[in-house]
Amino acid sequence: MENEVKAPAGAVCAESGEERIPAVRMEGISKRFGHKTANENVSLEIYHGEILSLLGENGSGKTTLMNMLSGIYFPDAGSVYVDGKLVHIRSPKDAFDLHIGMIHQHFKLVDLLTAAENVILGMKGKRLLDLKSVRRRITEICERYGFEVDPDKKVYDMSVSEKQTLEIIKVLYRGADILILDEPTAVLTPQETRRLFGVMRNMKQDGKSIVIITHKLHEVMEISDRVAVLRKGEYIGSLLTKDTDPQQLTDMMVGHRVSLNIERPEPENLRKCLEVEHLTVIDSEGVTKLNDVSFTANGGEILGIAGVAGSGQKELLEVIAGLQNAQNGSSVIYTDMEGRTSSLLGLTPMEIKKLGVALAFVPEDRLGMGLVGDLDITDNMLIRTYMEGHGMFVDFKKPRHLAEEIVRELQVVTPGIDTPIRKLSGGNVQKVLVGREISGHPSLLMSAYAVRGLDINTSFMIYRLMNEQKKRGAAVIFVGEDLDVLLELCDRIMVLCAGQVSGIVDGRTATKEQVGLMMTSLGAGAAGAEEKEGAK
Amino acid sequence: MIHISKRVDFEIFRGKAAWLNRYVGWAVRLIAVLLSLIVSGILIYSITKMNPVRVYATMVKGAFGSTRKIWAWLRDLVLLLLIAVGLAPAFKMRFWNIGAEGQVLAGGIATAACMIYLGSANIPTPLFLILMAAASMLAGAVWGVIPAIFKAKWNTNETLFTLMMNYIAIQLTSFFIPRWEHPKGSNTVGIINAGTQAGWFPKIAGSQYLLNVIIVAVITVAMYFYLCRSKHGYEIAVVGQSENTARYAAMNVKKVIVRTMTLSGAICGLGGFLAVAGADHTISTTTAGGRGFIAIIVAWLAKFNTLTMILISALLVFLQKGAVAIASEFSLSNDVSDIITGIILFFILGSEFFINYKIGFSKSSGKEA
C-alpha cells in the first residue's frame, strides 16, 4: 500500500499540462496539544477550481489542519504558502484577508439576528449601517451560486440546512476564494445534501477552491476531484477521485483492510417489548415535539429511527427513559421477559429502575447526559449503580472491575481507568458509554446517534454490540442519521417527520430515496410500507 | 511564539490529580507567596525606608510570637476553615453560595440568643453547648436552604439570592443589638455572660480554643469523606457537572440541591456558634468579619478538597495576622495591612493560572525563513 499512497499532487498538474501554482500549499505542518499530536509533518496542496476531499477517520487531524488554515490555530512547525507566497495566519481575520473562509461543523451564528445581520457581524463598515446594500449583495451571491436564503429571516427561524447556507454566504460575502467545509453533510438529508453539492459545483465553476472535510466515502466519490487522506495526524497521500474506489480509500484511511459490510442477523424469537401509542409531547414553550406517535419495539430486532435532526427523536427516547413528560392520552407499555406489562409513562428514571425495567439508554449528548467529563472511567460507571449497596458510602470495587473490563474488552485507548473521561477521544468516550449501558443486560436498549463522529473501526464495533444485544433478545432502538447505515443494520425503520410517524418500513427492502422522501414529507411513499407492516 | 495549554488533569468526585501536577501546583504556589513577599517588601521599603527583612520578622513574630498568639492564629484558622468546609459541598455542586457571611451571622445570632436567654438557666455546659450548636446550625441551614428552594423550584439565581440574604442577616443583627445592649447606651452587645461564662467554650487541657480546633478537625475530615466517598458526595459532583446527567442517573436534582444547601448552611451556621460561643463571646454586625468571602477563596484554591483547605486557611490567616502586626509595629495605618494582604492574595490567585495552564515556547520560528 505504501507505494500507491505516493500519488503525487503533480498528477493534477499533469492534467492541465503546465506547472500550476497551488492556491494553498501547506508544508511540514505539525501541531501538538499537550502530549497529543494532532498533525505531524503534513504537506498538502489545494488548487484553484477544484474540490478537494480531506478524508480521514475522526481524530485523524483533518479539522485541526484546516483550523490552522483558517486562523483558529497556529502551527507549531511548518509553513503555509498562499498563491506561492509565504504567509502567517494568526487569526481568522488574517485568513479572510487571504480569502480563506471556513464553515465550521458547529454554526457560529447569532440566533436573534437576521441572516443579513449575521453576515456583516464583525465586519468593519461605515459609520452608518447600510443594510440595503448588504441585502442586495447577499441576493447577488445567492443568484450566482444557486442558494436560497431570505436576508431578513431570523436565524432562530431557520432550519439546519438554511443555517449552513447562511454560513457559506457569510464566507463568500467576505470574499473567500478558498472555502473549507467541515463535515457539511452530517446534519443534512439526502435531498439537502444533493442541493449543497450542486452549489459546490457552481462555486467550483466560478474558480473557487473548495475543501470538504468528511469521512463519508460515497460523498467523496460523488463530489470531489481529488482526495487527500490523513491518518493519525499524518498525511498518507492524495489521489484523483476518478482513479480510486471506496475500498482503496478505506484501506488508506484505516491503514489495513476492512470489510465494509454491516452484519444483519435474521431476527429470532420476536417478542413484544415496548408498545408506544398516541404519544404526544409538547415542550415547555408549547411546541409540539411529538404528535400521536405509535409503534412497537420487539425484543430480538433492531428498530431504526430515521428523520431530519430535531424531528422528535430526542423527545421520543427521553419520554421512554422517564426524562420528559408526555401529554394525556399517550401510552408507553413495557412488557418484560415474563410477559408482565407495566406503564412507563409519568415515571421518573428512579421509579422505572425500581420497577425492574432493564433499560439502557445511550443518549445523543454523551458528555452532557450519558457521562460526566470530569469524572474518571470508574466514577462514570457509578452513574447507573452508585445507589447499590448498603450504607452511605460508595462501593468502588465493582465499578472498578467493570471499568477494567470495558477498557479491555472494547479496547478503550486511555492512560488508565483513573483518567477523566473528557481526556479520551470521541470514539473511546462512546465505547465507555455503550459498554456501561450494555453491562446491565438490558431488555430495552435505546441509542441516539451512537456512531456519530466515530471512526470506522469503532462504528463497526458499535454495530456488533447492537447486534449482540439483538441476538440476546433485547429490543434495540437505534436512532441514526446515516441512511446507508440504517438500511444495512436495522430490521425495521420508523421514519419521523416533524414529530409524526411518516411510516415504518422494512430495512431489507426499503431504499434510501424512499426513506429520504419520507423524512421530508409526511406519509410519502409509506403507503406500501404500512401494508407490509400489517401483513406481518 | 508563546502557546498556552491546559495542564489540569483533575477528577471531580474523588479529587485525584496526577501526582506531578500536584507537586507542580504547590511549587508554583510557593513561588507566588515568595514573589508577593518581595513585592510587598518593595512597597514597604518605598513607603517607610525600613529593612523588609525586619518587617517580615515582625510578621512572623506577630503571628507566632507567643503561645497566646499561636492559639489566636489557630482560633482564626479553624473558623475560616470551618466556613470554607461548609462552602465546599455547595461549590462542588456549582451552587455559588456567596452567602456564608449571612449564614455565619444567622448562626451567631442564634448562639447569642441562647446565651442571653438561657444563660441563667443553669443548663449543664455540655448540654448547653449541644443546644447552641443545634440552634446555630438550624439558623444557618434556614439561611442556606431558602435560596436553594427557590433555585430548585423556580431556577432563581443563587448568587444574587445568597448575597441578599447576607444583608438580611446583617440588618437582623443590627435589630438585636439595641435589644441585647450591654452596658446600656454602648450600642454594643458587650461580653455576654462575662461573669458566669455560661455558654462559653470550656478550657480543655488549659487551652481556651482547643475545643474549636477539635470540632473543626472532625468536621473537616468527615466532610472530606462525605464529598469524596459517599453516595451523597457522588450526587453532588454529578449535579454540579450536569443536571441532565443527574436526571439520567435517576437522581432527584431538586432534592440534592436542597439537601446540600441545608448542609452547607448548617456548617456555616456552626461557624457562627464558634465565633460567638467559642471566640468573641459577643455579637456584632462584623462577627463574620468577611470570612464568608475569604472562605470562598480558600474553597476554590483547595479545589474543594477540605484537607487542602487546612493549609490554605493556615497561610491566609498567618498573612492576615502578620500584616496587622506590621501595621501596628511600624505605626502604619491599617490600610497598609489590607494592601499587603491584597498583594499576597493577588499573587496566590494569579498563580492558579500557572497551575492550570502550561506555557510553552516554540522554537520553530527560526526555521521558516
Side-chain angles (χ1 to χ4, degrees), chain A residues 60-77:
Chain A
S60 60
K62 301 172 300 228
T63 305
T64 309
L65 184 67
M66 287 300 117
N67 274 337
M68 285 188 271
L69 211 50
S70 63
I72 307 275
Y73 298 138
F74 191 81
D76 293 343

Side-chain angles (χ1 to χ4, degrees), chain A residues 76 88 90 323 349 361 368-369 372 374-376 379 382-384 386-387 389 391-392 394 420 436-437, chain B residues 1 9-14 16 225 229-231 234-235 241-242 244-245 247-251 364 368:
Chain A
D76 293 343
H88 299 280
R90 293 180 192 278
L323 299 172
F361 180 21
M369 183 175 252
V372 177
D374 282 337
L375 291 178
D376 66 16
D379 288 351
L382 284 167
I383 281 181
R384 286 295 193 190
Y386 76 99
M387 280 310 275
M392 67 177 288
V394 171
R436 184 193 70 206
E437 287 306 295
Chain B
M1 275 301 289
D9 190 359
F10 183 72
E11 216 269 359
I12 194 80
F13 176 38
R14 281 177 287 169
K16 292 168 304 184
F225 285 102
R229 293 287 181 273
S230 80
K231 293 171 180 174
Y234 186 72
E235 290 181 332
Q241 291 299 307
S242 152
N244 271 336
T245 311
R247 291 192 314 125
Y248 171 89
M251 294 173 188
S364 66
E368 286 171 356

Side-chain angles (χ1 to χ4, degrees), chain A residues 15 29 44 74 90-91 106 189 240 255 267 282 294 296 341 363 389 435 511:
Chain A
E15 224 183 357
I29 301 282
L44 184 75
F74 191 81
R90 293 180 192 278
S91 69
H106 302 284
T189 63
L240 289 177
I282 296 174
S294 302
T296 307
T341 59
T511 65

Side-chain angles (χ1 to χ4, degrees), chain A residues 85-106:
Chain A
K85 278 194 293 290
L86 179 69
V87 293
H88 299 280
I89 306 172
R90 293 180 192 278
S91 69
K93 196 186 162 295
D94 286 357
F96 277 124
D97 291 344
L98 293 164
H99 304 291
I100 300 171
M102 183 156 170
I103 291 97
H104 295 270
Q105 214 173 345
H106 302 284

